[in-house]
Amino acid sequence: MRKENRIKRLSEIDIAIGITTSLVIFGHMAFLNTGEIYWYSSLRTLIYKFHMNVFFFLTGILFFYTKDIDSTSFSYSNFLLSKLKKFGPPYFFFALIFFIGEFIFSPDKNLFLEKQYGYIIIVLFKPINSYSTFLWFLHVLFIFYATIPLALRLIKRNYRIIIIFFCYILTFLPFPNFLSLRLYIKYLPWFLIGMVYVDYRQIIISNIKKFGKYFFLILIIIFITDYYLYDFSKIILSFVAIIVILWISLINNKFAYIFEKIGKNAFPIYLQNMTIVGIIYLTLTRYYHFSVKDLQFFVPVFFIFSVLLPIFIKKIFQKKMKYLKAFLGYSI
């Protein structure tokens, strides 16, 4: 393991998160996921095999790079409180927004309300089953932040890599959705692999720069194989995708600035994405009477608004409406 001077942000990780967030935005246009729009359904199925594994890996890098859990200066209580302040307001705000949306468009509002007994329990403990299903990511991530620092402090640093293999074995066992345990276990190994990247970052970067282009070709072959022949291993696909995305983020290219900007604003973009997509969808289908099949031609519109609007809102609220910013996912 090689020590290095820590800088505030890792540009390659910001770019990589920007690329992965773009894949998430593309996948959130679920209304296009029909048999009629085969190209979208096929791409979405392929992306969903690896994009969240990559996302949690990158999130793990950010955690282990910025937080030295072994340091005496690391305060677990302060850290957890900061995450509660960051995640809590947008979590409940968007849960409420999507609940209100479902109520407004419900044909029988009285029947809808009768069925909502205990809904707050679902939001708190099983967000994947709520109307705002995308909040499961925040739920799992917060539980990571609450448990991983405590667990790893009980294990000597040199033995922590072994835990990754143990966690991988756990993914084969059935876990319930309660407390997002199923998703917690599913993505835990990928989050912990971020620790390995941080410990060996310079060595990994050096090898990715040398061999990344070959993995890019391998990824194309995997995509073709997966599309035409059989379902390729999600584990292998995810590892190859990680290497390729990091390789792209390390080479000089004209799109780097765009993806870096997306990466730096990934949290509010992720949170606001579904709301923005939903508003555009309702506008095009209810007021302009476009069919779902017609909406495939508006994919760039959905994407551009999902990226630019959160960034634009951030600039508007730069120094104003501090608490509203917190509800929308901006740091205050």
Side-chain angles (χ1 to χ4, degrees):
M1 179 175 64
R2 186 178 299 178
K3 296 287 185 180
E4 62 173 303
N5 294 323
R6 300 288 173 89
I7 56 178
K8 190 174 182 180
R9 300 193 72 100
L10 297 173
S11 60
E12 84 267 13
I13 302 305
D14 283 331
I15 295 169
I17 289 175
I19 295 170
T20 312
T21 302
S22 299
L23 297 177
V24 171
I25 293 171
F26 180 83
H28 278 178
M29 303 176 204
F31 48 83
L32 296 176
N33 192 31
T34 67
E36 290 184 327
I37 309 172
Y38 186 72
W39 71 268
Y40 178 83
S41 299
S42 300
L43 275 177
R44 187 176 187 268
T45 299
L46 184 59
I47 288 170
Y48 266 60
K49 289 183 177 181
F50 68 89
H51 78 308
M52 290 312 298
N53 292 341
V54 178
F55 210 83
F56 273 104
F57 163 73
L58 296 172
T59 308
I61 291 175
L62 290 181
F63 170 73
F64 288 107
Y65 186 83
T66 58
K67 307 298 177 187
D68 185 357
I69 60 174
D70 297 309
S71 172
T72 54
S73 62
F74 177 78
S75 171
Y76 173 78
S77 58
N78 289 341
F79 168 71
L80 202 61
L81 182 61
S82 70
K83 293 304 177 184
L84 190 61
K85 289 179 179 178
K86 179 179 181 179
F87 288 3
Y91 186 89
F92 290 105
F93 175 75
F94 283 101
L96 179 61
I97 289 295
F98 276 75
F99 178 85
I100 293 173
E102 288 290 333
F103 173 75
I104 291 173
F105 293 104
S106 175
D108 188 335
K109 292 178 172 51
N110 289 328
L111 180 62
F112 174 83
L113 290 175
E114 288 176 7
K115 292 182 177 180
Q116 304 314 309
Y117 177 76
Y119 182 70
I120 186 63
I121 303 299
I122 294 175
V123 171
L124 286 172
F125 299 106
K126 295 195 293 183
I128 193 69
N129 297 129
S130 71
Y131 299 122
S132 47
T133 56
F134 64 97
L135 291 177
W136 72 264
F137 174 72
L138 273 70
H139 201 254
V140 171
L141 195 55
F142 181 78
I143 299 175
F144 278 166
Y145 290 148
T147 57
I148 288 174
L150 293 177
L152 290 185
R153 278 186 164 186
L154 300 175
I155 305 167
K156 290 183 179 180
R157 193 177 185 92
N158 293 336
Y159 295 102
R160 288 175 184 171
I161 194 169
I162 300 173
I163 298 300
I164 298 174
F165 296 101
F166 174 73
C167 292
Y168 174 68
I169 293 172
L170 290 179
T171 62
F172 292 96
L173 301 177
F175 285 89
N177 281 328
F178 184 74
L179 279 178
S180 298
L181 274 175
R182 180 178 63 84
L183 295 167
Y184 175 92
I185 295 297
K186 179 179 180 180
Y187 294 111
L188 181 59
W190 298 100
F191 188 88
L192 293 176
I193 292 171
M195 173 178 61
V196 179
Y197 180 89
V198 171
D199 285 347
Y200 301 95
R201 177 172 171 257
Q202 295 302 330
I203 297 172
I204 293 172
I205 286 176
S206 176
N207 282 283
I208 286 177
K209 286 180 176 178
K210 286 181 183 177
F211 304 109
K213 57 186 177 183
Y214 302 113
F215 279 91
F216 180 74
L217 294 175
I218 292 172
L219 186 63
I220 293 175
I221 294 171
I222 290 176
F223 282 170
I224 294 172
T225 303
D226 188 272
Y227 186 83
Y228 289 105
L229 298 178
Y230 60 89
D231 288 340
F232 209 86
S233 166
K234 294 179 181 179
I235 304 296
I236 297 175
L237 175 55
S238 297
F239 273 115
V240 175
I242 284 171
I243 294 170
V244 171
I245 290 173
L246 286 173
W247 174 68
I248 293 172
S249 70
L250 288 166
I251 61 177
N252 294 321
N253 63 83
K254 57 184 178 181
F255 299 108
Y257 171 77
I258 297 173
F259 287 124
E260 187 172 13
K261 192 73 173 178
I262 296 173
K264 288 180 177 179
N265 293 278
F267 190 64
I269 288 174
Y270 178 86
L271 286 169
Q272 298 174 40
N273 164 229
M274 292 294 285
T275 305
I276 294 168
V277 166
I279 291 171
I280 298 174
Y281 170 80
L282 291 172
T283 302
L284 292 176
T285 55
R286 287 180 177 263
Y287 295 102
Y288 293 98
H289 307 293
F290 284 100
S291 68
V292 173
K293 196 170 183 179
D294 293 330
L295 294 183
Q296 64 183 308
F297 302 107
F298 289 89
V299 167
V301 175
F302 285 106
F303 182 85
I304 291 170
F305 272 87
S306 293
V307 170
L308 293 184
L309 201 54
I311 296 174
F312 179 69
I313 292 173
K314 180 182 179 180
K315 289 186 177 295
I316 293 177
F317 295 153
Q318 195 72 39
K319 297 181 179 179
K320 301 177 182 178
M321 307 180 78
K322 177 180 178 181
Y323 293 103
L324 182 57
K325 285 175 61 179
F327 285 111
L328 294 175
Y330 303 106
S331 57
I332 56 175

